[in-house]
Amino acid sequence: MTLAVFYKLVAIFLTAGLGWVVGRMRWLGDERKGADPARTLSNAAFYIFVPALLFRTTSRLDFAHMPWGLIGAFFVPVVGLAVIVYAIGRHRNRAGSGAAAAPAVRAVSASFGNTLQIGVPMAAALFGEAGLGLHITIVSLHSLTLLTVLTTLAELDLARARARHEEAGGGTLLATLKVTVRNTIIHPVVLPVLAGMAWNLTGLGLPTVVDEVLVQLGSAVVPLCLTLIGMSLAYYGLRGSLRGAIALTATKLLVLPAVVLVVAHWGFGLQGLPLQVAVMMAALPAGSNTLMFSQRYETLEGETTSTIVLSTLAFAATAPLWLAVLAWVD
């Protein structure tokens, strides 16, 4: 654990702590009296700031010079594990009575890492400029890939739940299909990604003023999400969600980097600096955007908050472990 990463961890907890104070003191409103300031802030992030960040990122990607071997070595196991966690959740939902979006929410918590606040200083401190460049390359596709895949799965599950309800009420399959397609495409994650890709294909750069507006909007995502974590912790606490949070934390910090190591090294033949960057990126704690995802679907907010807090605390112990494993493998 380097000093730069340690300082980032402290800054994250202090920012989340400020959110906890805001939530505890009910400075923005009292959710017990009908107000829900956390939901309002989450909607602002999801409908304004995150779309700006995603559109700008995808519109500026240079696909011609992407290190596709590294990208495949990282995303194949990460998306694969996310789908496995999702499938397990689906199976449990069929056996019991879980919220329709719960499997996708848990899959996000188990796979989506804190690639910016912790990941960037970690990569810079451990691997230098070359490693940071590789890390940023993966970051550019991180939200695009994971949030798009898991948003689609969540919307499909919600569509199935609606179909069962409408079937009981006499609704038609065509009507359900139209709603599913519309909700999947006209979505604050998927739509800006598709729009950014379309703009990228034109070969035109973003106008300076538009780019500056997108930069300003996108820069609000990190502090807003960290504040939301603290507010949610004040509202929900850790009680009642620890069991699921511990399982998701173990999956994120231990299982996911192990899977990436095996697939990247022995499957894709990755070694040296690219392998180290891929594994350490997989070893990052759960990202703050996971809470925004859970609040979007009003599902497992307490468990998601607990997972972010626990995984960030545990990262101080697991990061040196993975660095030692990488030193032994190489």
Side-chain angles (χ1 to χ4, degrees):
M1 176 67 62
T2 68
L3 196 59
V5 176
F6 173 75
Y7 285 150
K8 280 294 181 180
L9 288 172
V10 172
I12 284 171
F13 281 114
L14 289 177
T15 307
L18 175 62
W20 183 87
V21 171
V22 170
R24 192 73 174 175
M25 302 300 292
R26 268 68 185 185
W27 286 346
L28 299 182
D30 193 339
E31 83 289 352
R32 297 168 299 187
K33 297 179 181 179
D36 196 345
R39 187 81 57 199
T40 300
L41 290 178
S42 179
N43 285 339
F46 213 72
Y47 287 99
I48 302 172
F49 304 117
V50 169
L53 180 64
L54 291 174
F55 176 82
R56 183 174 187 269
T57 300
T58 51
S59 67
R60 291 160 54 90
L61 286 176
D62 184 4
F63 290 102
H65 297 93
M66 287 284 186
W68 294 110
L70 170 62
I71 290 169
F74 178 80
F75 282 109
V76 167
V78 170
V79 173
L81 182 67
V83 171
I84 289 172
V85 172
Y86 164 80
I88 292 172
R90 281 286 314 280
H91 176 74
R92 288 176 177 172
N93 265 10
R94 283 198 297 269
S97 56
V105 170
R106 287 197 169 105
V108 170
S109 295
S111 60
F112 195 97
N114 191 330
T115 58
L116 292 176
Q117 302 105 300
I118 298 178
V120 168
M122 178 198 70
L126 295 177
F127 309 125
E129 187 176 343
L132 179 60
L134 294 175
H135 178 87
I136 292 297
T137 299
I138 300 176
V139 170
S140 68
L141 295 171
H142 188 246
S143 296
L144 160 66
T145 304
L146 286 173
L147 291 184
T148 301
V149 169
L150 293 169
T151 292
T152 302
L153 292 176
E155 291 295 339
L156 288 173
D157 283 341
L158 289 170
R160 291 188 190 97
R162 283 193 300 269
R164 287 194 293 269
H165 176 75
E166 290 173 2
E167 188 176 310
T172 66
L173 178 61
L174 181 60
T176 301
L177 183 60
K178 286 180 179 178
V179 171
T180 304
V181 172
R182 185 183 70 238
N183 288 351
T184 302
I185 295 176
I186 304 176
H187 187 280
V189 168
V190 179
L191 188 58
V193 167
L194 295 176
M197 289 289 191
W199 187 269
N200 194 313
L201 290 174
T202 67
L204 301 173
L206 290 172
T208 303
V209 174
V210 173
D211 188 54
E212 185 60 29
V213 170
L214 294 174
V215 168
Q216 294 298 324
L217 292 174
S219 66
V221 172
V222 170
L224 185 56
C225 287
L226 290 176
T227 304
L228 279 169
I229 290 170
M231 291 178 67
S232 297
L233 192 61
Y235 295 160
Y236 306 116
L238 295 174
R239 211 173 290 175
S241 59
L242 271 179
R243 182 177 177 183
I246 290 172
L248 289 171
T249 295
T251 302
K252 182 67 190 72
L253 298 182
L254 299 175
V255 178
L256 182 61
V259 172
V260 170
L261 174 61
V262 170
V263 173
H265 186 54
W266 285 280
F268 283 78
L270 228 59
Q271 55 187 352
L273 185 61
L275 177 66
Q276 294 167 11
V277 170
V279 172
M280 290 310 297
M281 187 164 182
L284 290 168
S288 54
N289 283 358
T290 58
L291 176 59
M292 180 194 66
F293 190 91
S294 71
Q295 288 180 326
R296 157 73 179 178
Y297 293 107
E298 301 183 10
T299 303
L300 301 175
E301 291 101 324
E303 182 180 275
T304 303
T305 302
S306 300
T307 301
I308 295 169
V309 173
L310 289 178
S311 63
T312 304
L313 284 169
F315 177 72
T318 58
L321 168 67
W322 285 112
L323 290 172
V325 170
L326 286 168
W328 174 75
V329 169
D330 274 356

